[in-house]
Amino acid sequence: MDASALNFTDVSKVYDGAGSAERYALRDVTFDIAPGKTVAIVGRSGSGKSTLLHLAAGIDVPTRGSVAVYGAALNGLGETERTRLRRRDIGFVFQLFHLLPHLTVRDNVALPDLIAGVRERTYRERVAALLERVGLPDRAGDPVAGLSGGEMQRVAICRALLRRPRLLLADEPTGSLDDASGQVVMDLMLQMVAEEGATLVYATHSRELAAMADRTLRLHSGILEAESDASE
Ligand SMILES: Nc1ncnc2c1ncn2[C@@H]1O[C@H](COP(=O)(O)OP(=O)(O)OP(=O)(O)O)[C@@H](O)[C@H]1O
Ligand SMILES: [Mg+2]
């Protein structure tokens, strides 16, 4: 088993500011997350939470430092290989769901396989099992547009887990939901990553939702401040 699910070593992300000023979205961030752990990323708006998740997903590349997912350094990979690793190992859940409203619930969950040209009989049972797991088997044939926000996020979680990623990343997955449905979605996501044996890293503004993780990483203006680890 790999020693590390996600490793950041001295990672900085710099954006060009007005004039010649450099703006650090992340500054010398170093941490290591063991496989199977759940980790909450907290910090004020603009502190770098989304930047950290995008670097972890290989959606974006660091200015300096290295990011490794299950031992594979993303920096060393070309665009094509990084995309392949992302599709195989990483699932991503966005705040605003990023679903295709006119497609059915079933097709939204199957989307990564549909795009990859995987045959329907290969993913049919997996999609059905995931929708069963999140309590939406009866909605499989409905267009996503008719669902509530909480239901949409449950569909988005199914889609992110479709290919059994080892690392699930979620950027304020309950940020568009009210407290009650946010709690339901978070509970479900934690249960499902435990069942699948995946590692979960999620950004949240909520103290309650952060407390549900094994560990919290706190960002302040791009700097990793303090850590608490409830499990050790
Ligand atoms: N593409 C970009 N170009 C320039 N600056 C950026 C870009 N993306 C992010 N930033 C800056 O980097 C910093 C961190 O942004 P980030 O989106 O990671 O924060 P966040 O913690 O996710 O905030 P929020 O809680 O509001 O989502 C901010 O100052 C932001 O303005
Ligand atoms: Mg953000």
Side-chain angles (χ1 to χ4, degrees), residues 12-13 54-55 58-64 67 74-75 79 82:
S12 293
K13 179 68 183 179
H54 292 164
L55 295 178
I59 295 170
D60 207 347
V61 290
T63 310
R64 288 193 292 278
V67 174
L74 298 183
N75 308 53
E79 183 67 38
R82 211 165 62 231

Side-chain angles (χ1 to χ4, degrees), residues 13-17 23-26 41-54 60 95 171-172 203-205 219 222:
K13 179 68 183 179
V14 186
Y15 290 109
D16 292 329
R23 293 172 50 83
Y24 278 81
L26 290 178
I41 312 290
V42 301
R44 286 198 187 143
S45 181
S47 59
K49 303 183 295 298
S50 295
T51 303
L52 185 154
L53 290 172
H54 292 164
D60 207 347
Q95 177 174 357
D171 195 356
E172 299 188 49
T204 180
H205 277 112
L219 287 167

Side-chain angles (χ1 to χ4, degrees), residues 55-191:
L55 295 178
I59 295 170
D60 207 347
V61 290
T63 310
R64 288 193 292 278
S66 69
V67 174
V69 175
Y70 284 88
L74 298 183
N75 308 53
L77 305 177
E79 183 67 38
T80 315
E81 280 188 62
R82 211 165 62 231
T83 304
R84 190 178 305 143
L85 180 137
R86 188 164 70 225
R87 292 202 179 129
R88 194 191 59 206
D89 283 340
I90 301 172
F92 207 103
V93 177
F94 300 89
Q95 177 174 357
L96 294 172
F97 322 133
H98 287 214
L99 299 172
L100 298 178
H102 302 299
L103 289 188
T104 61
V105 164
R106 184 188 291 119
D107 283 353
N108 268 278
V109 173
L111 204 59
D113 276 351
L114 281 170
I115 289 170
V118 175
R119 275 183 304 202
E120 202 246 344
R121 63 187 159 93
T122 310
Y123 61 73
R124 191 191 302 141
E125 281 180 27
R126 172 73 172 158
V127 170
L130 285 165
L131 287 174
E132 181 78 39
R133 182 67 189 83
V134 300
L136 293 172
D138 304 340
R139 308 300 295 271
D142 294 350
V144 148
L147 302 186
S148 73
E151 289 166 345
M152 285 190 199
Q153 199 57 308
R154 285 187 265 157
V155 172
I157 290 167
C158 291
R159 183 183 56 189
L161 290 174
L162 176 73
R163 301 187 130 197
R164 306 179 194 277
R166 294 191 284 177
L167 176 63
L168 182 66
L169 303 168
D171 195 356
E172 299 188 49
T174 66
S176 303
L177 309 177
D178 62 46
D179 286 352
S181 43
Q183 191 77 36
V184 170
V185 163
M186 197 67 223
D187 270 331
L188 203 46
M189 196 160 68
L190 286 165
Q191 286 168 30

